[in-house]
Amino acid sequence: MHAICNGSDKYEHYDMLADDWDIEARCRVALDAWGLPDIELTTSIDALSGGEKTKLFLAGISIHRPAVVLLDEPTNHLDDTSRQKLYEFIVGSKATIMVVSHDVTLLNLLEETYELSPKGLKLYGGNYDFYKAQKEIEEQALAQQVNAEETALKLACKKRKRLVRNKKSVPGKAKEIKTK
């Protein structure tokens, strides 16, 4: 935009700007909203702290409003105020948002939870608390199933031992059972 305003007629500059003449103002508003009022638009990302980088990326999402947003541990390096702003952003967003996080507060804001395990990807139709309750139910059901199978195995072993004892105690029966 600055090159165009300074007289450049290169197509690359116009293609890059894509008629977004208020981009600078929207960037400034987004940076200010995410608590980065002192960051200049020309500041190198290498000069930013971890929290500032995260806020910068979140400001970029605010500016571009993508339909799908992928967030990997977005609350890392954020202070409480910035976390709260992120939570509000997620609740108010119309975008499809996929989050990988250990932040339970954040995960409880989401409508669905997916679990990735060696068995694959499994959908739980609720937030993190719902997922946790469902996992507990699944684990209890599995423990009951294992217990029932162990009990059935023990009964089968006892039955087998009785049959073997009975074969040995009746001399003629053992031969009959073998030939049949």
Side-chain angles (χ1 to χ4, degrees):
M1 183 172 76
H2 289 280
I4 294 169
C5 289
N6 289 327
S8 173
D9 62 351
K10 292 185 177 179
Y11 290 114
E12 303 88 50
H13 294 144
Y14 286 93
D15 285 345
M16 190 180 299
L17 184 60
D19 284 336
D20 193 0
W21 293 98
D22 64 342
I23 185 67
E24 235 178 75
R26 289 187 304 112
C27 288
R28 187 74 268 147
V29 167
L31 290 172
D32 291 350
W34 282 100
L36 299 171
D38 299 328
I39 303 296
E40 296 298 325
L41 297 180
T42 56
T43 301
S44 169
I45 195 166
D46 294 331
L48 302 177
S49 70
E52 289 171 330
K53 288 177 184 176
T54 300
K55 290 185 218 179
L56 178 68
F57 291 125
L58 294 170
I61 292 169
S62 300
I63 294 165
H64 296 289
R65 296 184 194 113
V68 177
V69 177
L70 304 174
L71 299 172
D72 183 9
E73 298 291 355
T75 57
N76 283 3
H77 310 294
L78 293 182
D79 58 23
D80 290 339
T81 303
S82 298
R83 281 178 188 235
Q84 191 57 45
K85 178 137 182 79
L86 175 62
Y87 300 155
E88 291 167 7
F89 168 78
I90 287 176
V91 168
S93 179
K94 301 229 184 291
T96 298
I97 300 176
M98 182 181 289
V99 178
V100 176
S101 181
H102 291 91
D103 182 337
V104 174
T105 303
L106 172 61
L107 295 174
N108 274 327
L109 298 174
L110 305 173
E111 296 174 2
E112 296 176 333
T113 302
Y114 288 84
E115 177 189 58
L116 180 61
S117 72
K119 295 179 182 179
L121 192 64
K122 184 172 181 181
L123 168 65
Y124 291 84
N127 65 14
Y128 181 77
D129 285 343
F130 176 83
Y131 157 77
K132 217 165 84 171
Q134 292 301 304
K135 283 297 286 182
E136 190 173 315
I137 291 167
E138 288 175 6
E139 287 171 7
Q140 288 173 355
L142 183 59
Q144 287 175 348
Q145 181 182 355
V146 167
N147 189 25
E149 289 176 5
E150 285 176 346
T151 301
L153 182 59
K154 285 177 187 175
L155 289 172
C157 287
K158 284 181 183 179
K159 187 176 180 180
R160 182 179 172 271
K161 284 180 185 179
R162 258 183 293 158
L163 287 172
V164 168
R165 257 186 281 146
N166 288 342
K167 283 184 197 178
K168 289 180 181 177
S169 66
V170 180
K173 285 279 190 183
K175 289 180 184 175
E176 285 180 33
I177 292 173
K178 283 185 178 178
T179 59
K180 286 185 178 181

